Structure formats: C-alpha cells, structure tokens
Amino acid sequence: MSQATKRKHVVKEVLGEHMVPSDQQQIVRVLRTPGNNLHEVETAQGQRFLVSMPSKYRKNIWIKRGDFLIVDPIEEGEKVKAEISFVLCKDHVRSLKKDGLWPEAFEVAEKHNNNRNRPTQPELPAEPQSSGEESSSEDDSDLFVNTNRRQYHESEEESEEEEAA
C-alpha cells in the first residue's frame, strides 16, 4: 500500500468513526510531547504517564498539547503504560459528552481554561484616517494587531512618571 493510500485510510478512520471506550480503555488528555512518538498524558483522576503512538498514526496524524485520546493499557510497561488506540477530535468529544461518557474532571478543566485564555479583542479606531492626512509616527492604532500575543497597554500616567524619574 502506498503512503498516500495509507494516509487516506487512517485519516478516514480517525475522522469518520465515533468510538466509545471499552472497559479497559480510558480517555486521557495530552500534556506534552517529549519526542520519539511518545506523549505524556493525564487521566481524569490526575495520574500522569507516557503513551506510545502506533506506527499507523506516525507521520499521518498529529497530536498536540490539549488533545484528547483513547488509550489501551500496556501491562509490561514501566514508563510507557499505554498505547494510543484512537485520537478524539471535537466532534467525538461532543458526541461523548452527549452520551454521558465524558469524564467530569476534563469538563471542569476545559471550562476553566476557556475562561482564563480568552483573548480580549483589540479596539479599532472610531474614525479611519483619510489618505490625504499624514499620520504621526507615534500613532500605531492602524497597524495589524497580533491576537496570538498578550496586549500590554501603557497609560500616559506611567510614561510621565518614567520620564520624571
């Protein structure tokens, strides 16, 4: 089977199926990726351990921090205690929540993270400047604002205090 055909089948399997974890399987959240196809995960009970990625997912499916997985336990593992059996996307998570199979600990943590990491929208200037006017070099309000970075606003009082010192 060619690499493209393999990728097509793996992606179709991950995106198409709605998998329900069995009795031995558990839902975990990815904390970090130390490398070598290993991922550090945390269970709903707070237990942390490493999981390995099977070869069928390698270079076909990417996992990042905060993603949810269904894992199968490995009995003989000391450090690596499970293997990834399924990668959950947003639709799968929504389906599991609707069925009542989603762990409460992840739902509470998700709400907490959403409230804490919600970026504030930058304010746009009320009136756009006409092209005939020259803008001062100090007025940067018309520049693009990168919403991926924290916005630090300096008040005029702080800048006056710094100049006086």
Side-chain angles (χ1 to χ4, degrees):
M1 182 182 313
S2 71
Q3 183 67 22
T5 306
K6 178 182 171 187
R7 181 177 295 125
K8 180 178 76 171
H9 289 292
V10 169
V11 169
K12 184 179 176 183
E13 175 188 331
V14 168
L15 295 178
E17 294 181 17
H18 285 283
M19 186 170 184
V20 178
S22 67
D23 294 336
Q24 293 182 349
Q25 295 176 330
Q26 52 181 254
I27 299 173
V28 296
R29 179 179 50 213
V30 177
L31 297 176
R32 66 185 190 103
T33 305
N36 203 19
N37 294 309
L38 296 175
H39 301 277
E40 185 178 348
V41 297
E42 180 180 35
T43 63
Q45 294 79 26
Q47 181 184 7
R48 292 181 175 198
F49 53 88
L50 290 175
V51 297
S52 65
M53 180 182 280
S55 59
K56 76 175 185 177
Y57 290 139
R58 295 176 187 172
K59 297 185 180 180
N60 292 324
I61 302 295
W62 282 264
I63 298 172
K64 62 184 185 304
R65 221 174 335 153
D67 284 352
F68 293 98
L69 311 169
I70 295 178
V71 296
D72 290 317
I74 298 174
E75 298 299 326
E76 65 273 356
E78 288 181 26
K79 290 183 180 180
V80 180
K81 295 187 178 182
E83 185 176 49
I84 298 170
S85 68
F86 198 76
V87 180
L88 298 172
C89 66
K90 290 180 182 179
D91 294 334
H92 298 128
V93 171
R94 197 174 305 124
S95 174
L96 288 170
K97 284 180 182 178
K98 190 172 99 178
D99 294 342
L101 299 170
W102 191 251
E104 285 290 322
F106 290 147
E107 197 166 321
V108 171
E110 187 176 320
K111 286 179 184 177
H112 177 70
N113 286 341
N114 283 345
N115 291 338
R116 185 172 48 121
N117 294 334
R118 187 165 288 165
T120 58
Q121 292 293 330
E123 294 183 21
L124 296 176
E127 300 176 22
Q129 294 180 351
S130 64
S131 61
E133 295 179 20
E134 291 185 26
S135 62
S136 67
S137 61
E138 294 179 20
D139 185 22
D140 294 335
S141 62
D142 60 338
L143 293 177
F144 171 76
V145 177
N146 186 354
T147 57
N148 294 330
R149 303 283 184 218
R150 291 185 186 253
Q151 300 297 320
Y152 296 104
H153 299 285
E154 185 177 316
S155 66
E156 292 179 20
E157 295 172 3
E158 292 176 1
S159 61
E160 289 175 2
E161 291 174 4
E162 291 176 4
E163 290 175 4

